[in-house]
Amino acid sequence: MTPLAARLFRKGDEDTQRRLAAAQFFECTALTPLALEMRKADDAESGFSSSAQLPAPNTLIEIMLRGKRMAFFCQQHPEQGHVAVHAISDEGDRGIHIGWRATFTPGSGEVSIDEEYTTSKEREDAAYIGLIFIEKLLCIINQPGLVERRARDTDKRILREVKARDYEPASPKWHECHIRPGVHGSEGEDGGNHREHQLHYVRKHRKPSLGPDRWIDGYWRGNADLGIHFKHYVVHAPG
């Protein structure tokens, strides 16, 4: 389990422990700048990408942001077609903070935010922004060849406790995600030579030739060995 997930397991009740034992874990701190870049670049009107699928039905994504560990417990619900996300943060001496709960549907603009955890407009906005961030992380993880998953061993004390409590066997490995070195994106995507360009994001865009409301998902292309190029976007109000 990732660091915050292991802390949650030790402090959690039986239901929490069973849910965590059945999950796959991904530490994605190294992908955070890329996800934030995508969030800034893409048009919110395009909705959530159909590529934002979970690596496993129960997936915990963990990051370190501004010195704070945050975890997003995600569950795929094939029957309803949506992904449920539960945000949790480690507040240090103040303990673990239960944040927001919300769902989104890949390939659509459908969002549902649990009002029990979002008692103000500010917290509701934070939950929506958090959903978009998770969508972007999932798109990065799912882009072919872009991410290297480095296997790490789950704490043996947790594995022993899971076995002793007769829970579903926990995964003996969790994964630390990094950008894989080398060239990404096919040569045909822009007709150029990716080796001459840093890794950069091609924002989501409409393609009228495929239909009036057809969106092409954004993707990363270029040579990661040359570094990563982040753009500066200026958003203007319509009209």
Side-chain angles (χ1 to χ4, degrees), residues 27-79:
E27 213 293 336
C28 295
T29 298
L31 309 183
T32 297
L34 280 72
L36 294 174
E37 174 82 353
M38 295 171 71
R39 196 183 71 186
K40 288 189 300 181
D42 285 344
D43 190 331
E45 293 182 3
S46 63
F48 293 86
S49 171
S50 57
S51 299
Q53 304 293 330
L54 297 184
N58 296 295
T59 296
L60 187 139
I61 294 175
E62 189 168 317
I63 63 169
M64 177 73 82
L65 185 64
R66 301 186 189 96
K68 180 192 300 183
R69 281 218 162 265
M70 302 181 68
F72 303 90
F73 185 72
C74 309
Q75 292 180 289
Q76 193 106 35
H77 296 274
E79 302 82 7

Side-chain angles (χ1 to χ4, degrees), residues 143-144 146 181-202 219-229:
Q143 182 171 330
L146 181 63
V183 178
H184 302 283
S186 68
E187 292 292 333
E189 283 172 344
D190 65 350
N193 186 347
H194 297 307
R195 297 184 187 279
E196 298 176 357
H197 303 283
Q198 293 178 314
L199 184 67
H200 61 283
Y201 183 59
V202 179
Y219 56 92
W220 289 88
R221 70 180 178 202
N223 192 342
D225 291 323
L226 301 178
I228 301 174
H229 176 64

Side-chain angles (χ1 to χ4, degrees), residues 80-160:
Q80 294 85 3
H82 65 243
V83 174
V85 183
H86 185 185
I88 306 156
S89 61
D90 188 345
E91 302 293 334
D93 294 339
R94 294 189 296 169
I96 294 172
H97 174 68
I98 304 300
W100 45 266
R101 288 183 180 178
T103 66
F104 72 90
T105 303
S108 79
E110 295 179 15
V111 173
S112 176
I113 297 175
D114 191 334
E115 294 181 357
E116 180 182 351
Y117 295 87
T118 51
T119 53
S120 67
K121 180 64 165 58
E122 182 180 356
R123 295 192 67 178
E124 184 178 328
D125 291 343
Y128 182 71
I129 291 171
L131 278 184
I132 297 174
F133 175 72
I134 288 299
E135 176 222 13
K136 301 310 181 190
L137 279 178
L138 291 172
C139 289
I140 294 170
I141 292 172
N142 292 329
Q143 182 171 330
L146 181 63
V147 172
E148 176 184 356
R149 301 179 184 180
R150 301 175 187 173
R152 300 286 186 256
D153 292 330
T154 297
D155 189 323
K156 291 182 179 179
R157 292 171 296 180
I158 289 179
L159 294 177
R160 287 196 295 267

